[in-house]
Amino acid sequence: MEFLNTVLIVGGGGREHAIVKALLRTDRPLCLYAYPGNPGMENDGCMLVDTPIGDWKELADWSCSNGVELVVVGPEIPLCEGIVDIFEGTGIPVFGPSKAAAQLEGSKAFSKMIMEKYDIPTAVTKTFSGKTDAVAYLKKHGVPIVIKVSGLAAGKGAMVCLTMEEAEEAIRQIYDAKAFGSASSVVLFEDFMVGEEASIFVLTDGKNFRVLPAAQDHKRIFDNDLGPNTGGMGAYAPAPLVDAVLRSRIEKEVIRPTIEAMRKEGIPYRGLLYAGIMVTTEGPKVVEFNCRFGDPETQAVLPLVDCDWFEVFKACALGGLDKVKISTRDGACATVVLASKGYPGSYEKGKVISGLETAEQHKSDTDVYHAGTKRDENGSILTNGGRVLAVSSWADNLDDAVNAAYKAVGNISFDGMYYRKDIARKGLERLAGKM
Ligand code: GLY
């Protein structure tokens, strides 16, 4: 009988579906479970955990009873809640940082303290707990300024304020409307950084690390980076913004010192370190750290990485990443997110999605990742979220990857489907020497 390695993936978005597809790209026989998972992960052979799970301890017990050998955690909330620590007693390796290490994302005040203490380049920042001091500082500093709540805020906790009206509205939201709850018990006021942002993903076992191809996200809802922020409307990799010289500066000035800092603090960081880097005229500076893969950048990065992900995730959890083979494919990948009309505001759910199989017919160069979908009783796939799907295509160059992704998108439809038409435009302009 064939021996299967059993893996549990925690999460149910496009990022976790991309992790499943990456795990399946090798010949290693795998038995995959997902909690909660999504219909796309299920179509790819993942079994969804069907036992009610009340907390992470119950998921740990379930994993022990079901022969799980490795857990891969996608989202930040379970990591910041300490899922890795909870699994520790089970002996099952978990890909992701401990609760203390996940503070790099979970507490912006902690993350800033690390950066300041270890001279990791970032924006000048002041931290306040009370409104009076915060308002006095804002008046003295003026705009532009970036106001950030320290805790997790579902991607909405960083407010770039270009006018005093915007800054005052941010203050109102934080201190009067209490829109961020306890996440805003500490608030950071950062100098506004001018530049372009890149997402740098780093796999680490706490000592050794590997930097994956740099990506760029498209945070705004409309073309040309207009409109409100979203969770991310598309991505591409490798980002031409991050050339070899810049990449090595980021590695030397940000990544290595951060991993060493966490070791020196006695809280080694294992898993995926995501550094949001602003490329300024003074060099790379950290916008923020996240303790997990980015979404949708993961959907653009993983198809370019050649490795046995089971082995890589396990090595990150247990050590020995230096002994694992990881290579990057030539070429590029582009990811287009398909959203429900109205997102990031209110939107309708339950629209029938058609064309998924046609879109994915070229499996050698295109993946369709489910994010906000559900299956109805007839087996049809319906929309069930703001970001519904992500379509990634890879090719020998970025131009071809973008064209292939949009061609695949052309096969998919649902009522109110919306997507940006300018994914990777900045990268293409840079490659054409126009930037
Ligand atoms: N794409 C941004 C994030 O994952 O936080």
Side-chain angles (χ1 to χ4, degrees):
M1 208 177 83
E2 188 178 47
F3 181 77
L4 301 175
N5 288 119
T6 302
V7 185
L8 169 68
I9 293 99
V10 178
R15 163 185 50 210
E16 289 76 28
H17 194 183
I19 290 171
V20 165
K21 284 194 185 280
L23 277 160
L24 291 171
R25 265 193 269 279
T26 62
D27 296 332
R28 179 186 291 275
L30 292 168
C31 166
L32 299 180
Y33 287 107
Y35 176 77
N38 66 40
M41 293 159 85
E42 214 180 359
N43 288 348
D44 282 332
C46 267
M47 288 173 282
L48 308 189
V49 175
D50 54 4
T51 312
I53 300 291
D55 57 25
W56 303 126
K57 170 78 177 69
E58 285 181 19
L59 190 64
D61 293 342
W62 181 93
S63 302
C64 291
S65 309
N66 287 274
V68 171
E69 290 167 75
L70 172 69
V71 180
V72 181
V73 185
E76 63 277 19
I77 289 177
L79 293 165
C80 292
E81 286 178 355
I83 190 171
V84 173
D85 313 60
I86 290 164
F87 267 76
E88 212 154 66
T90 64
I92 303 172
V94 185
F95 174 79
S98 65
K99 182 174 182 172
Q103 286 185 97
L104 272 188
E105 175 164 2
S107 163
K108 288 191 175 27
F110 171 84
S111 154
K112 233 8 132 168
M113 179 279 287
I114 293 286
M115 288 186 257
E116 283 169 2
K117 183 167 170 187
Y118 292 92
D119 280 331
I120 296 159
T122 187
V124 173
T125 305
K126 291 275 182 245
T127 304
F128 299 99
S129 340
K131 180 175 173 184
T132 313
D133 289 345
V135 170
Y137 180 73
L138 172 64
K139 284 209 179 109
K140 194 167 92 190
H141 183 285
V143 287
I145 196 164
V146 182
I147 305 180
K148 292 181 177 176
V149 302
S150 180
L152 290 182
K156 299 192 177 79
M159 289 151 278
V160 178
C161 306
L162 302 180
T163 64
M164 214 51 184
E165 287 71 35
E166 285 171 344
E168 282 160 4
E169 178 54 23
I171 296 281
R172 256 193 303 279
Q173 287 298 322
I174 293 170
Y175 293 104
D176 303 334
K178 311 236 180 285
F180 300 96
S182 61
S184 61
S185 55
V186 175
V187 180
L188 291 79
F189 288 72
E190 284 188 1
D191 283 6
F192 176 78
M193 291 190 280
V194 178
E196 231 185 286
E197 203 177 328
S199 303
I200 308 295
F201 293 172
V202 184
L203 292 160
T204 176
D205 62 6
K207 184 169 161 227
N208 308 290
F209 66 88
R210 302 287 183 87
V211 181
L212 300 181
Q216 276 190 294
D217 188 5
H218 298 63
K219 292 186 200 295
R220 304 285 178 153
I221 185 74
F222 301 129
D223 286 6
N224 300 315
D225 297 330
L226 297 173
N229 264 331
T230 69
M233 293 302 295
Y236 60 102
L241 170 68
V242 183
D243 61 15
V245 174
L246 180 57
R247 193 180 146 97
S248 91
R249 273 193 79 176
I250 293 171
E251 196 172 310
K252 183 162 161 257
E253 296 171 26
V254 174
I255 306 304
R256 188 178 295 282
T258 303
I259 291 168
E260 282 174 3
M262 294 299 278
R263 282 218 338 264
K264 284 185 195 142
E265 292 291 313
I267 34 180
Y269 188 97
R270 302 187 184 92
L272 192 286
L273 178 66
Y274 162 174
I277 298 287
M278 189 66 81
V279 180
T280 75
T281 49
E282 292 159 13
K285 294 189 183 185
V286 177
V287 178
E288 64 180 4
F289 285 121
N290 292 315
C291 64
R292 35 85 197 174
F293 280 109
D295 189 340
E297 298 97 311
T298 303
Q299 293 89 311
V301 170
L302 296 196
L304 298 175
V305 181
D306 242 334
C307 64
D308 177 346
W309 280 102
F310 177 86
E311 199 185 3
V312 170
F313 289 141
K314 203 166 165 187
C316 287
L318 298 177
L321 188 62
D322 52 327
K323 298 186 186 67
V324 177
K325 198 167 152 262
I326 302 175
S327 55
T328 302
R329 292 180 206 164
D330 290 338
C333 184
T335 301
V336 180
V337 168
L338 309 185
S340 298
K341 184 177 154 201
Y343 173 79
S346 58
Y347 52 82
E348 291 178 8
K349 296 180 184 176
K351 310 291 180 192
V352 177
I353 306 171
S354 60
L356 288 170
E357 280 173 22
T358 320
E360 233 187 348
Q361 63 194 329
H362 299 293
K363 287 195 190 298
S364 57
D365 70 7
T366 297
D367 276 345
V368 178
Y369 305 111
H370 289 228
T373 67
K374 70 172 177 197
R375 197 188 305 275
D376 72 5
E377 57 284 358
N378 305 315
S380 301
I381 304 292
L382 310 180
T383 66
N384 194 37
R387 290 192 297 169
V388 176
L389 299 161
V391 178
S392 291
S393 293
W394 49 98
D396 291 343
N397 58 66
L398 187 57
D399 207 4
D400 288 349
V402 171
N403 289 334
Y406 279 114
K407 193 166 167 218
V409 165
N411 291 299
I412 301 175
S413 65
F414 56 85
D415 186 24
M417 179 171 114
Y418 169 78
Y419 58 93
R420 273 181 65 161
K421 314 289 184 300
D422 65 343
I423 299 305
R425 190 183 290 160
K426 270 193 210 152
L428 291 168
E429 284 176 358
R430 191 172 292 278
L431 289 172
K434 292 190 197 149
M435 283 181 84

